[in-house]
Amino acid sequence: VLGIARDITERKKSEESLKSANERFVLATTAAALSVWEHDFITDMIQTDYNFNKIYGIAQSNDQIEFNQFIKFIHPDDVDIIKTNIEKATKSDKNINFEFRVIRTDGAIRNIRAFGKIVKDRTNKPVKLIGVNIDISDFKNAELALKESREKLLQLNANKDVFISILSHDLRSPFQNLLGLSEVLTEGIHELNIDEIEKLANQINTTTRITYTLLEDILMWAGTQQGKIPFKRQNLGLSGICRNVLEVLNPNAKAKNIVISSLIGDQLNVFADADMLKTVLRNLVSNAIKFTSNGGTINISANEFPENVTISVSDNGIGIPPDNLANLFDISKVLSTRGTAKETGTGLGLLLCKEFVEKHGGKIWVESEVGRGSDFKFTLPIPDGQINGINN
């Protein structure tokens, strides 16, 4: 018997070491959501690994895929990005480094970063591209969340500046008026006759009511920014809500000989928060009174549609210049314009209207022409039972 014995201890150690290194490599690439691939330009096949299939959502465990099949996973808007980068790499010998999106078989969109290097043969002809893909979706989502948070902080800071500006300007003026009027009354109480005292008292009362309204708008707006305004929707009779609002505002209208007409029938209901709806109507009607001249008219009406109710507050007042229309609901460009009787305001009323209407899933807009008046409209949902009745 003739035999040969050979010590393969070192080879076994090398094999074990290679196996261990490979396991660590697979573990590292999996943990990093990283896929190693090789694109053969001759066969146009891409050699892949387990992570490639995982990233792209490929169920079968194939270790290769045709380039044309691979392209089907790429977001349509990013196909040219891949082809252009590969073409540039083959012509310039530069490594590739770019981002693109893939659409997995389950419909999920993932963000991928690709790194790669061109391999050439002895004739300097590009024969393959080897590289890695990294799933950076989580990073992109975190980046987007950070951007949104930054924009939100900037908006909150801008809102704070507006808030401070309103406090320092719009509230200071009426308080100065109150101080001035009360000082005249206090210092001349013994010299003034009853008619003069009554006139000063009326001026103080008017200024106080205006100041209270300003303060109410400011506190309401501040509450919405902090999420402290309760929101409880219920079936409401729209005509009854209008009557409640007009009971409060009719004295202001009568002072300017303005007639307010509600053209809303008793049968019309909306699905809304009562306090928010009153605030929206109060602000829109108050604005109409403010910008309508003596002897003008204001109409409140509503049109019922299968999906919602469109409520309108229209007037024949002075109208709104075209340049101001686009900024009416913009917090960064709050407009505080004096009314036809020099009435003041904070400009926050329309912002409140927008926030409250949108909270109901509705929208608000305005149609206006200088010298002919304005028509503010907003939509609100209607109760389910009423929807069925309309459809029938």
Side-chain angles (χ1 to χ4, degrees):
V1 177
L2 179 63
I4 298 175
R6 180 179 296 173
D7 187 348
I8 60 171
T9 303
E10 292 302 321
R11 193 183 77 182
K12 282 294 184 181
K13 287 182 178 179
S14 297
E15 290 176 352
E16 289 296 327
S17 177
L18 183 61
K19 180 181 178 183
S20 177
N22 185 61
E23 290 174 348
R24 290 196 299 272
F25 175 76
V26 171
L27 180 62
T29 55
T30 302
L34 184 148
S35 166
V36 181
W37 48 263
E38 181 180 305
H39 181 194
D40 189 321
F41 295 150
I42 307 301
T43 63
D44 211 21
M45 297 293 292
I46 301 175
Q47 301 296 321
T48 65
D49 60 4
Y50 169 76
N51 287 333
F52 185 94
N53 296 331
K54 183 178 178 181
I55 290 173
Y56 287 80
I58 302 174
Q60 64 271 27
S61 57
N62 295 337
D63 58 358
Q64 63 179 1
I65 184 174
E66 291 183 14
F67 182 76
N68 288 336
Q69 291 298 316
F70 160 74
I71 286 295
K72 292 180 180 179
F73 289 98
I74 307 305
H75 193 289
D77 295 339
D78 296 350
V79 170
D80 287 341
I81 294 176
I82 290 179
K83 292 181 177 180
T84 300
N85 275 277
I86 292 177
E87 184 179 355
K88 286 181 179 179
T90 58
K91 292 179 179 179
S92 66
D93 289 341
K94 291 183 178 180
N95 295 342
I96 62 170
N97 180 359
F98 62 94
E99 294 179 12
F100 61 96
R101 291 165 294 172
V102 300
I103 303 177
R104 291 163 48 101
T105 53
D106 60 3
I109 296 178
R110 306 295 290 179
N111 295 89
I112 308 298
R113 176 169 284 279
F115 298 92
K117 178 179 177 62
I118 290 291
V119 177
K120 296 183 177 182
D121 62 12
R122 293 180 180 180
T123 65
N124 205 36
K125 177 184 176 181
V127 292
K128 66 176 64 176
L129 176 65
I130 58 174
V132 296
N133 281 357
I134 304 175
D135 188 340
I136 59 171
S137 302
D138 292 341
F139 171 77
K140 281 289 184 180
N141 292 335
E143 188 178 53
L144 180 61
L146 184 62
K147 181 182 178 182
E148 290 175 350
S149 295
R150 181 175 179 274
E151 290 175 350
K152 187 175 181 180
L153 285 173
L154 289 174
Q155 185 62 55
L156 288 173
N157 191 53
N159 292 354
K160 179 203 68 177
D161 291 341
V162 172
F163 188 69
I164 292 174
S165 173
I166 291 170
L167 286 176
S168 62
H169 178 268
D170 293 290
L171 275 181
R172 178 185 296 175
S173 179
F175 271 114
Q176 286 175 337
N177 290 340
L178 282 174
L179 288 172
L181 290 169
S182 60
E183 284 177 3
V184 171
L185 184 60
T186 302
E187 294 174 0
I189 190 70
H190 298 296
E191 290 80 20
L192 298 172
N193 59 44
I194 190 66
D195 290 335
E196 291 172 327
I197 292 175
E198 183 180 7
K199 182 179 179 181
L200 285 170
N202 285 332
Q203 289 177 324
I204 290 173
N205 179 262
T206 300
T207 303
T208 302
R209 284 191 291 107
I210 293 172
T211 306
Y212 177 77
T213 301
L214 294 177
L215 186 59
E216 193 174 43
D217 279 349
I218 290 172
L219 292 176
M220 182 77 76
W221 179 77
T224 63
Q225 302 307 298
Q226 298 171 5
K228 293 183 177 180
I229 302 298
F231 182 54
K232 184 180 180 181
R233 292 195 289 183
Q234 56 184 312
N235 292 344
L236 299 171
L238 187 56
S239 61
I241 295 291
C242 287
R243 282 194 294 270
N244 290 339
V245 171
L246 294 184
E247 284 176 5
V248 177
L249 296 179
N250 266 327
N252 296 349
K254 288 181 179 179
K256 298 176 71 173
N257 296 314
I258 294 172
V259 177
I260 304 178
S261 299
S262 176
L263 310 176
I264 298 173
D266 291 336
Q267 76 284 356
L268 183 57
N269 293 330
V270 293
F271 190 55
D273 179 278
D275 291 333
M276 288 188 179
L277 178 54
K278 289 178 183 178
T279 299
V280 172
L281 286 171
R282 176 176 60 81
N283 275 291
L284 294 181
V285 175
S286 293
N287 269 0
I289 295 171
K290 179 179 176 182
F291 295 107
T292 298
S293 301
N294 282 319
T297 58
I298 297 171
N299 292 321
I300 306 174
S301 59
N303 289 319
E304 195 172 17
F305 299 97
E307 67 278 5
N308 58 38
V309 172
T310 298
I311 303 165
S312 170
V313 177
S314 60
D315 62 63
N316 61 350
I318 60 177
I320 304 169
D323 292 343
N324 291 346
L325 280 175
N327 301 324
L328 287 179
F329 302 103
D330 188 344
I331 180 65
S332 63
K333 299 176 182 178
V334 173
L335 300 172
S336 180
T337 308
R338 288 187 176 274
T340 55
K342 306 303 180 184
E343 301 100 323
T344 59
T346 62
L348 287 177
L350 290 179
L351 296 180
L352 282 173
C353 291
K354 182 175 184 291
E355 290 215 17
F356 288 171
V357 168
E358 290 181 350
K359 195 170 184 66
H360 286 80
K363 62 178 182 177
I364 185 169
W365 69 99
V366 60
E367 300 166 1
S368 184
E369 185 178 344
V370 174
R372 297 181 65 88
S374 301
D375 186 2
F376 281 86
K377 299 180 179 180
F378 65 97
T379 61
L380 286 177
I382 56 181
D384 290 339
Q386 196 163 302
I387 292 176
N388 295 332
I390 294 173
N391 291 335
N392 291 334

